[in-house]
Every structure is written in structure tokens, then in C-alpha cells.
Amino acid sequence: MREYIFVFNLDAIVQDKSGEKNCGILEFINDNAQRCYFKQDCIDKNREKTVVAISNSESDIAMMKKADIRIGYGGIKEVMPEILSIVDYVIYEEKKLVDFLGRLLQEEKMALSRTVIISCAGMGNRLGLGTTKALLEVDGKTLIVRYLEQLQEEKDVRIVVGYQASSMIEAVLKYRSDVTFVFNHEYQNTGTGASVVLAAKYANEYVLSLDGDLIVHPEDMKKILACQKEFVGGCTKISDDPWMLQTYMQEGMEYVHAFSKNDGNYEWNGVTQVRSDRLRDGTGHVFQLIEPHLPIPFMMVRTREIDTSNDYKEALRWVKNGFC
């Protein structure tokens, strides 16, 4: 197991303007006193360890740049733009921060150890609306809010941001504050696979990966969240130029054994749940991350992806017709 140390800006993290203490953070510091520091000079003395820096203040930029894991904490004060430009994660709830730090120390055990990753870093150029697609409204509700409603019971939800990151964070925090935001600063040069790899660091045993430009049928999302094993999701062919899933049957179970641009049984829709240790490296598509690990069981998941104006019209019709 890695050996971690934690470097805090104590004033910015622990005490708010009214003088009230964030007791959960103080308790974590007390329980892990041998690992916790409050000055950046400790980093140079502990280079053989994994350094986690937590702050919200521009005065800590030098400290943050030296760290291996950079967390902006907005539970007390707003995270400064200079910090947002270099962090790996932004967290807005004290309990969520303590839970995340505890997970680094492998202290948290869950009945189903799952991290949900929603990839929302892209620019959505093909749609041509000048906004990240997860903020697009369909029938009066944005795609990201639809996800948040469906994922209310999930404990570890991570949203990957890049293009229009501040707008995405603001929209999510209006609905839910215990989300972890993961920054893909290279979103212009990388694919969704890179976003998933970033968010899968220090994740739970399983990762459920969802694309931010997708609407998932409510009944199928219930089926997804009840699943406690790996799967690759697909649907009947509805897109003009999809990647396809090639499958086979074995002992009554259907398995995905290949992705293809030419032919297949179903359209790949980007929904998958796999062990987090399968998502260590990659910058392209999500399916390229999981392709070396096939075969994986198949799950039928009814979805609508929004890439073009025609996709948007079809998604709107689908939602208005009760997902039929």
C-alpha cells in the first residue's frame, strides 16, 4: 500500500468565518497525526511518499504544485480560480473530503464498492451550441441533473470537468454538494477514456462509467445500479455512425467479445461497469480501455446520445413520449 502524507492550509480548511470548527476534518487530522502537516516545506522532506495537498487559497499554489494529489476544498470559502486551474479534484462537503481521504488510506468499506464517473469535460463541437453537452436541457431539465436524480443513493459520484468547468460545477452544486469534481486539463487533446482514467484513480473496486451527453432510460438505470458485477452496455442501433458490439451466447448468458465499426449485434452506448484496476491508462475512447479485458457480460441499456441537432430532436421526442 502507498504511504500518504496530507498537507493542509489549516485556516482555510478547518475554521469558517463564524469560528465554527469542521470537526470531521479535525478528527481525521487527530487520528492520522503522523501523516498530517501544515507547511509546504514538509513536502521536500517526504518525496518518497505520496503527497496530498488540500487548500482553496491562491497563497498555496506553490504547495499545491509540489503535491502528487491536489484537492481544492470549497466547504468554507470559494476555491480561487488560480487553484482551480491546477487541482485534480474539487470537493465541497466536509464529510465527502474526509471520506475521500479515508479511501486513500483504505479505511472505508462499502456493501457494493462502486465509484460512478460521469464524463463531462468535452466541448461538444458537433452539436454547435457553444456549451458542454451535459448542461443541455431536454424537456426542461439538463442532462447532468437527470443523472443526479437517478444517482441520489450512490455514495461516490465523480464528475470529470474541463470545458466550461465553472459552469458545470455551479450547476451541480445547486442540486448536490457531495460530488467530487475531477479536472481533465487536457480535454482539448484527449478523449473520454482519459477522463475516465483520471477519475478512476483512488476509486472503489468497481467503476460505473457514464457519458455526460447521454440520457439513460429510468428503468434501465435501476437495473444498472442493482448490478454488482461487470457489464458492457448496448442498445439497438439508432445512430448514423456507431461503434457496434459483437456478442455471443454461452450457458444462457450473452457476452461482448469485440467492438467493431463494421458490424455487430448492438450499438455501443458508452455505459459500462468494470473493475477500477482495468482503467489504469489510456487517452482515447472508453471502449479502448476495456477492450483488452473482453469478454465481459452484455447488458441491454436503452439510451439516447446527443451528438447532433438530429440527436437532440430524437432525444426530446423520446423523453416527451415517456421514453418510448
Side-chain angles (χ1 to χ4, degrees):
M1 186 177 73
R2 295 189 189 192
E3 187 173 358
Y4 293 92
I5 66 167
F6 303 93
V7 187
F8 299 85
N9 176 330
L10 198 59
D11 291 335
I13 299 301
V14 175
Q15 184 169 300
D16 64 19
K17 294 178 181 178
S18 68
E20 291 188 13
K21 301 293 184 180
N22 275 333
C23 296
I25 296 177
L26 286 174
E27 184 177 344
F28 177 88
I29 292 172
N30 289 334
D31 290 344
N32 299 278
Q34 301 297 320
R35 300 172 178 270
C36 295
Y37 299 86
F38 309 105
K39 294 182 179 179
Q40 69 173 5
D41 57 4
C42 72
I43 297 178
D44 295 327
K45 300 174 183 177
N46 291 276
R47 281 320 323 178
E48 75 283 0
K49 299 175 184 177
T50 300
V51 178
V52 184
I54 306 100
S55 184
N56 57 24
S57 172
E58 59 191 16
S59 64
D60 293 322
I61 287 179
M63 175 184 83
M64 298 291 271
K65 286 183 175 180
K66 288 184 176 182
D68 301 295
I69 303 171
R70 305 161 184 171
I71 303 174
Y73 179 59
I76 299 297
K77 301 176 183 177
E78 191 64 33
V79 182
M80 293 293 98
E82 294 83 357
I83 294 293
L84 285 177
S85 70
I86 61 172
V87 294
D88 302 303
Y89 307 93
V90 179
I91 298 175
Y92 286 85
E93 277 195 358
E94 180 197 17
K95 183 180 183 302
K96 194 66 182 179
L97 176 62
V98 173
D99 287 347
F100 187 87
L101 300 181
R103 188 173 296 112
L104 295 182
L105 300 177
Q106 299 183 351
E107 293 175 351
E108 182 179 63
K109 300 295 180 183
M110 305 174 74
L112 174 62
S113 181
R114 174 169 58 205
T115 295
V116 180
I117 296 172
I118 310 174
S119 298
C120 303
M123 300 175 68
N125 288 330
R126 280 191 287 174
L127 196 57
L129 296 180
T131 183
T132 184
K133 288 185 285 185
L135 294 179
L136 184 67
E137 285 194 8
V138 175
D139 196 25
K141 192 177 294 184
T142 62
L143 302 188
I144 191 62
V145 167
R146 291 182 180 278
Y147 270 138
L148 295 174
E149 289 178 345
Q150 293 175 319
L151 299 169
Q152 291 182 58
E153 301 302 317
E154 292 297 304
K155 305 297 185 185
D156 185 18
V157 176
R158 305 183 183 186
I159 298 177
V160 187
V161 295
Y163 180 60
Q164 296 184 333
S166 296
S167 297
M168 176 63 68
I169 291 172
E170 181 181 358
V172 171
L173 291 179
K174 289 179 180 177
Y175 189 88
R176 180 172 177 175
S177 61
D178 65 340
V179 167
T180 298
F181 297 96
V182 182
F183 276 73
N184 180 358
H185 297 294
E186 297 297 322
Y187 65 89
Q188 290 181 297
N189 305 312
T190 58
T192 306
S195 291
V196 172
V197 167
L198 288 170
K201 292 180 179 179
Y202 321 109
N204 289 302
E205 181 180 3
Y206 286 92
V207 161
L208 170 60
S209 175
L210 302 166
D211 287 348
D213 60 357
L214 208 63
I215 299 176
V216 179
H217 193 292
E219 292 304 313
D220 289 354
M221 182 61 86
K222 292 178 183 178
K223 180 173 63 174
I224 289 169
L225 298 180
C227 183
Q228 300 195 31
K229 61 182 181 181
E230 293 185 306
F231 71 85
V232 173
C235 59
T236 55
K237 185 178 181 297
I238 52 176
S239 301
D240 294 331
D241 188 30
W243 280 91
M244 302 297 291
L245 302 177
Q246 296 181 348
T247 65
Y248 67 89
M249 298 295 298
Q250 181 176 314
E251 298 179 352
M253 287 282 294
E254 193 166 12
Y255 292 86
V256 176
H257 70 90
F259 296 87
S260 173
K261 259 297 182 183
N262 300 317
D263 59 86
N265 307 83
Y266 307 97
E267 178 176 327
W268 157 245
N269 57 18
V271 180
T272 187
Q273 180 167 281
V274 295
R275 294 204 316 268
S276 58
D277 60 7
R278 300 192 189 277
L279 304 172
R280 298 303 188 201
D281 188 45
T283 59
H285 298 288
V286 174
F287 76 81
Q288 292 172 316
L289 303 178
I290 61 178
E291 200 168 25
H293 308 290
L294 300 177
I296 293 176
F298 168 76
M299 181 184 289
M300 176 65 77
V301 180
R302 291 166 289 179
T303 59
R304 290 296 185 274
E305 182 181 14
I306 302 179
D307 264 339
T308 65
S309 58
N310 285 335
D311 290 339
Y312 174 77
K313 293 175 184 177
E314 166 57 22
L316 181 60
R317 182 206 63 78
W318 190 56
V319 172
K320 283 182 172 293
N321 288 347
F323 302 94
C324 296

